[in-house]
Amino acid sequence: MKKQSTSLIPLTDLKQRREAHVLEGKEIRIKISRTNEFKLGRTISIDFEEASSLESIVAVDVSTVKIGVSRLGEVHAIRGSTVLKERGAVKINRTRPMIVLGGISDSQVSFELEEQLKSISSIRNSLMLLDGDLNEMMNVSGPLGLSHFLTSACNTLISVSKGFVDPFIRLPEDFDVSPFIGEILNGRSPREYLVRLKPGSPLLKVEAYPEVELEEISSLLASLILIDGVDYGYTEALRIAHIYSKILPVEVLTLKCVLQKKFGIEVLREIDNRKMLLGGFWS
Protein backbone atom coordinates (compact mmCIF):
# COMPACT_ATOMS: atom_id res chain seq x y z
CA MET A 1 0.00 0.00 0.00
CA LYS A 2 1.36 3.37 -0.99
CA LYS A 3 2.24 5.60 1.95
CA GLN A 4 0.07 8.71 2.12
CA SER A 5 2.07 11.92 1.78
CA THR A 6 1.63 14.80 4.19
CA SER A 7 2.51 18.47 4.07
CA LEU A 8 2.74 18.88 7.83
CA ILE A 9 6.15 19.65 9.35
CA PRO A 10 6.97 17.62 12.49
CA LEU A 11 7.40 19.84 15.53
CA THR A 12 10.80 18.23 16.19
CA ASP A 13 12.00 19.50 12.81
CA LEU A 14 10.80 23.00 13.66
CA LYS A 15 12.77 22.96 16.90
CA GLN A 16 15.91 21.76 15.12
CA ARG A 17 15.63 24.38 12.40
CA ARG A 18 14.43 27.36 14.44
CA GLU A 19 17.70 29.20 13.77
CA ALA A 20 17.32 28.67 10.02
CA HIS A 21 15.65 31.11 7.69
CA VAL A 22 12.12 29.78 7.22
CA LEU A 23 10.26 32.56 5.43
CA GLU A 24 11.47 34.50 2.40
CA GLY A 25 10.08 37.76 1.12
CA LYS A 26 8.91 36.23 -2.13
CA GLU A 27 6.79 33.76 -0.15
CA ILE A 28 4.69 36.49 1.46
CA ARG A 29 1.29 37.12 -0.08
CA ILE A 30 -0.88 40.18 0.35
CA LYS A 31 -4.50 40.84 -0.52
CA ILE A 32 -6.17 44.22 -0.12
CA SER A 33 -9.92 44.27 0.21
CA ARG A 34 -11.76 47.35 -0.96
CA THR A 35 -13.05 49.22 2.07
CA ASN A 36 -14.87 52.50 2.49
CA GLU A 37 -12.45 55.25 3.43
CA PHE A 38 -13.46 57.07 6.59
CA LYS A 39 -15.04 60.40 5.66
CA LEU A 40 -15.33 63.21 8.20
CA GLY A 41 -17.69 66.08 7.43
CA ARG A 42 -18.30 69.34 9.24
CA THR A 43 -16.37 69.55 12.50
CA ILE A 44 -16.82 72.07 15.32
CA SER A 45 -15.32 72.68 18.75
CA ILE A 46 -17.49 71.88 21.76
CA ASP A 47 -18.27 75.32 23.21
CA PHE A 48 -19.03 75.26 26.94
CA GLU A 49 -20.74 78.64 26.74
CA GLU A 50 -23.40 76.99 24.56
CA ALA A 51 -24.06 74.17 27.04
CA SER A 52 -27.72 73.19 27.27
CA SER A 53 -29.55 72.94 30.59
CA LEU A 54 -30.08 69.35 31.68
CA GLU A 55 -32.12 68.18 34.63
CA SER A 56 -30.27 64.89 34.94
CA ILE A 57 -27.85 62.43 33.35
CA VAL A 58 -28.61 58.72 33.20
CA ALA A 59 -26.08 56.03 32.24
CA VAL A 60 -27.03 52.39 31.62
CA ASP A 61 -24.78 49.40 31.01
CA VAL A 62 -25.40 45.64 30.75
CA SER A 63 -22.65 43.03 31.16
CA THR A 64 -22.58 39.31 30.45
CA VAL A 65 -20.13 36.61 31.45
CA LYS A 66 -19.80 32.93 30.56
CA ILE A 67 -19.75 30.84 33.73
CA GLY A 68 -19.05 27.45 32.15
CA VAL A 69 -20.89 24.47 30.68
CA SER A 70 -23.43 22.02 32.12
CA ARG A 71 -25.50 19.08 30.93
CA LEU A 72 -28.01 21.69 29.72
CA GLY A 73 -25.45 23.52 27.63
CA GLU A 74 -23.57 26.77 28.17
CA VAL A 75 -24.20 28.78 31.35
CA HIS A 76 -24.08 32.58 31.33
CA ALA A 77 -24.87 35.36 33.77
CA ILE A 78 -26.15 38.82 32.94
CA ARG A 79 -26.57 41.97 35.01
CA GLY A 80 -27.33 45.63 34.39
CA SER A 81 -26.77 48.84 36.32
CA THR A 82 -28.08 52.38 36.10
CA VAL A 83 -26.38 55.55 37.32
CA LEU A 84 -28.50 58.67 37.83
CA LYS A 85 -26.88 62.06 38.38
CA GLU A 86 -29.44 64.63 39.46
CA ARG A 87 -29.07 67.86 41.46
CA GLY A 88 -25.54 67.00 42.46
CA ALA A 89 -26.50 63.57 43.84
CA VAL A 90 -25.54 60.18 42.40
CA LYS A 91 -27.89 57.20 42.63
CA ILE A 92 -26.91 53.70 41.52
CA ASN A 93 -29.30 50.85 40.80
CA ARG A 94 -27.87 47.39 40.20
CA THR A 95 -29.84 44.21 39.62
CA ARG A 96 -28.85 40.80 40.91
CA PRO A 97 -27.12 38.55 38.35
CA MET A 98 -29.54 36.55 36.22
CA ILE A 99 -28.40 33.04 35.29
CA VAL A 100 -29.04 32.00 31.69
CA LEU A 101 -28.86 28.33 30.73
CA GLY A 102 -27.97 28.04 27.07
CA GLY A 103 -26.44 30.59 24.75
CA ILE A 104 -26.92 34.25 25.60
CA SER A 105 -29.33 35.92 23.19
CA ASP A 106 -30.68 39.34 22.32
CA SER A 107 -33.87 38.55 24.24
CA GLN A 108 -31.98 38.19 27.52
CA VAL A 109 -30.03 41.40 26.92
CA SER A 110 -33.30 43.11 26.00
CA PHE A 111 -34.97 41.87 29.20
CA GLU A 112 -32.17 43.25 31.37
CA LEU A 113 -32.19 46.56 29.50
CA GLU A 114 -35.94 46.84 30.01
CA GLU A 115 -35.45 46.18 33.74
CA GLN A 116 -33.02 49.09 33.92
CA LEU A 117 -35.42 51.37 32.06
CA LYS A 118 -38.15 50.62 34.62
CA SER A 119 -35.99 52.11 37.38
CA ILE A 120 -35.80 55.45 35.55
CA SER A 121 -39.27 55.52 33.98
CA SER A 122 -40.13 58.79 35.73
CA ILE A 123 -37.11 60.67 34.41
CA ARG A 124 -37.93 63.57 32.08
CA ASN A 125 -35.86 65.94 29.93
CA SER A 126 -32.62 64.10 30.65
CA LEU A 127 -29.59 62.92 28.73
CA MET A 128 -29.39 59.12 28.64
CA LEU A 129 -26.06 57.42 27.97
CA LEU A 130 -25.57 53.88 26.70
CA ASP A 131 -22.34 51.96 26.19
CA GLY A 132 -22.12 50.41 22.73
CA ASP A 133 -23.59 50.66 19.27
CA LEU A 134 -26.97 52.40 19.08
CA ASN A 135 -28.16 50.54 15.97
CA GLU A 136 -27.59 47.17 17.64
CA MET A 137 -29.29 48.26 20.88
CA MET A 138 -32.33 49.60 19.06
CA ASN A 139 -32.73 46.23 17.37
CA VAL A 140 -32.24 44.35 20.64
CA SER A 141 -34.63 46.45 22.74
CA GLY A 142 -37.60 46.01 20.41
CA PRO A 143 -39.99 48.61 19.05
CA LEU A 144 -41.76 49.20 22.38
CA GLY A 145 -38.65 49.33 24.56
CA LEU A 146 -35.89 51.88 24.28
CA SER A 147 -37.39 54.08 21.57
CA HIS A 148 -40.75 54.23 23.40
CA PHE A 149 -39.03 55.29 26.62
CA LEU A 150 -37.15 58.07 24.86
CA THR A 151 -40.05 59.52 22.89
CA SER A 152 -42.55 59.38 25.75
CA ALA A 153 -40.23 61.06 28.26
CA CYS A 154 -38.66 63.70 25.96
CA ASN A 155 -35.21 62.29 26.68
CA THR A 156 -32.21 62.34 24.38
CA LEU A 157 -30.00 59.29 24.06
CA ILE A 158 -26.31 59.27 23.22
CA SER A 159 -24.51 55.97 22.76
CA VAL A 160 -20.74 55.85 23.11
CA SER A 161 -18.54 53.29 21.34
CA LYS A 162 -15.11 52.89 22.95
CA GLY A 163 -13.78 50.45 20.37
CA PHE A 164 -13.58 53.02 17.59
CA VAL A 165 -9.86 53.45 16.77
CA ASP A 166 -8.47 54.74 13.48
CA PRO A 167 -4.88 55.96 13.86
CA PHE A 168 -4.84 57.28 10.29
CA ILE A 169 -7.46 60.00 10.84
CA ARG A 170 -5.89 63.40 10.32
CA LEU A 171 -7.59 66.26 12.15
CA PRO A 172 -7.02 70.02 11.95
CA GLU A 173 -4.48 71.25 14.51
CA ASP A 174 -7.15 73.35 16.23
CA PHE A 175 -8.90 70.20 17.44
CA ASP A 176 -5.79 68.81 19.16
CA VAL A 177 -6.17 71.31 22.01
CA SER A 178 -9.93 71.36 22.53
CA PRO A 179 -12.91 68.98 22.66
CA PHE A 180 -14.65 68.63 19.30
CA ILE A 181 -17.37 66.79 17.41
CA GLY A 182 -17.53 66.00 13.70
CA GLU A 183 -20.04 64.39 11.35
CA ILE A 184 -19.26 60.92 10.03
CA LEU A 185 -20.45 61.06 6.43
CA ASN A 186 -20.23 57.37 5.55
CA GLY A 187 -21.48 55.78 8.77
CA ARG A 188 -24.24 53.21 9.04
CA SER A 189 -26.69 55.95 10.03
CA PRO A 190 -26.86 59.77 9.75
CA ARG A 191 -26.68 59.98 13.54
CA GLU A 192 -22.99 59.03 13.87
CA TYR A 193 -20.35 61.49 15.04
CA LEU A 194 -16.63 61.45 15.84
CA VAL A 195 -15.91 62.96 19.25
CA ARG A 196 -13.00 63.78 21.51
CA LEU A 197 -14.20 64.82 24.97
CA LYS A 198 -10.81 65.84 26.35
CA PRO A 199 -7.58 66.95 24.62
CA GLY A 200 -5.20 64.04 24.23
CA SER A 201 -7.85 61.42 24.94
CA PRO A 202 -8.93 58.64 22.53
CA LEU A 203 -11.43 59.29 19.76
CA LEU A 204 -14.95 57.99 20.35
CA LYS A 205 -17.90 57.31 18.08
CA VAL A 206 -21.22 58.59 19.40
CA GLU A 207 -24.74 58.29 18.05
CA ALA A 208 -27.78 60.35 18.98
CA TYR A 209 -31.48 59.51 19.14
CA PRO A 210 -33.64 61.17 18.03
CA GLU A 211 -31.63 62.64 15.17
CA VAL A 212 -30.45 66.15 16.05
CA GLU A 213 -28.36 68.88 14.44
CA LEU A 214 -24.60 68.99 14.99
CA GLU A 215 -24.81 72.15 17.11
CA GLU A 216 -27.47 70.61 19.35
CA ILE A 217 -25.50 67.48 20.15
CA SER A 218 -22.42 69.64 20.69
CA SER A 219 -24.42 71.61 23.26
CA LEU A 220 -25.50 68.38 24.98
CA LEU A 221 -21.92 67.11 25.12
CA ALA A 222 -20.78 70.44 26.59
CA SER A 223 -23.30 69.98 29.41
CA LEU A 224 -22.19 66.37 29.85
CA ILE A 225 -18.54 67.40 30.23
CA LEU A 226 -19.40 70.14 32.75
CA ILE A 227 -21.83 68.08 34.84
CA ASP A 228 -20.39 64.59 34.66
CA GLY A 229 -16.67 65.05 34.14
CA VAL A 230 -14.42 63.28 31.63
CA ASP A 231 -11.13 62.86 33.49
CA TYR A 232 -10.16 59.91 31.31
CA GLY A 233 -11.75 61.23 28.12
CA TYR A 234 -14.84 59.13 28.86
CA THR A 235 -18.02 60.00 30.69
CA GLU A 236 -17.78 59.24 34.42
CA ALA A 237 -21.40 58.09 34.68
CA LEU A 238 -20.82 55.35 32.09
CA ARG A 239 -17.60 54.33 33.84
CA ILE A 240 -19.52 53.85 37.09
CA ALA A 241 -22.35 51.99 35.33
CA HIS A 242 -19.83 49.63 33.73
CA ILE A 243 -18.08 48.94 37.05
CA TYR A 244 -21.33 48.13 38.84
CA SER A 245 -22.66 45.94 36.06
CA LYS A 246 -19.56 43.72 35.99
CA ILE A 247 -19.91 40.22 37.42
CA LEU A 248 -16.79 39.49 39.46
CA PRO A 249 -14.96 36.12 39.61
CA VAL A 250 -16.04 35.62 43.23
CA GLU A 251 -19.66 36.10 42.13
CA VAL A 252 -19.18 33.53 39.38
CA LEU A 253 -18.07 31.00 42.03
CA THR A 254 -21.16 31.85 44.09
CA LEU A 255 -23.45 31.31 41.11
CA LYS A 256 -21.85 27.93 40.43
CA CYS A 257 -22.47 26.89 44.05
CA VAL A 258 -26.10 28.06 43.88
CA LEU A 259 -26.73 26.04 40.72
CA GLN A 260 -25.14 22.95 42.28
CA LYS A 261 -26.77 23.08 45.73
CA LYS A 262 -30.19 24.53 44.89
CA PHE A 263 -30.88 23.12 41.44
CA GLY A 264 -28.53 20.14 41.22
CA ILE A 265 -26.84 21.53 38.11
CA GLU A 266 -23.09 21.02 38.00
CA VAL A 267 -21.20 23.69 36.09
CA LEU A 268 -17.76 22.80 34.76
CA ARG A 269 -15.06 24.89 33.18
CA GLU A 270 -15.27 24.80 29.41
CA ILE A 271 -12.62 22.69 27.71
CA ASP A 272 -10.85 24.42 24.84
CA ASN A 273 -10.27 21.74 22.21
CA ARG A 274 -8.06 24.05 20.17
CA LYS A 275 -5.56 24.30 23.02
CA MET A 276 -5.66 20.54 23.60
CA LEU A 277 -5.23 19.59 19.97
CA LEU A 278 -2.87 22.30 18.76
CA GLY A 279 -0.81 22.92 21.88
CA GLY A 280 1.33 26.04 21.70
CA PHE A 281 0.10 26.77 18.18
CA TRP A 282 -3.60 27.09 19.12
CA SER A 283 -3.98 30.84 18.72
Side-chain angles (χ1 to χ4, degrees), residues 119-136:
S119 67
I120 53 175
S121 58
S122 62
I123 299 299
R124 296 291 184 274
N125 300 315
S126 68
L127 176 60
M128 182 177 178
L129 303 170
L130 283 179
D131 180 17
D133 187 278
L134 180 59
N135 289 312
E136 294 179 2

Side-chain angles (χ1 to χ4, degrees), residues 21 23-29:
H21 182 73
L23 186 65
E24 296 181 2
K26 63 181 180 181
E27 298 175 352
I28 299 175
R29 298 178 297 168

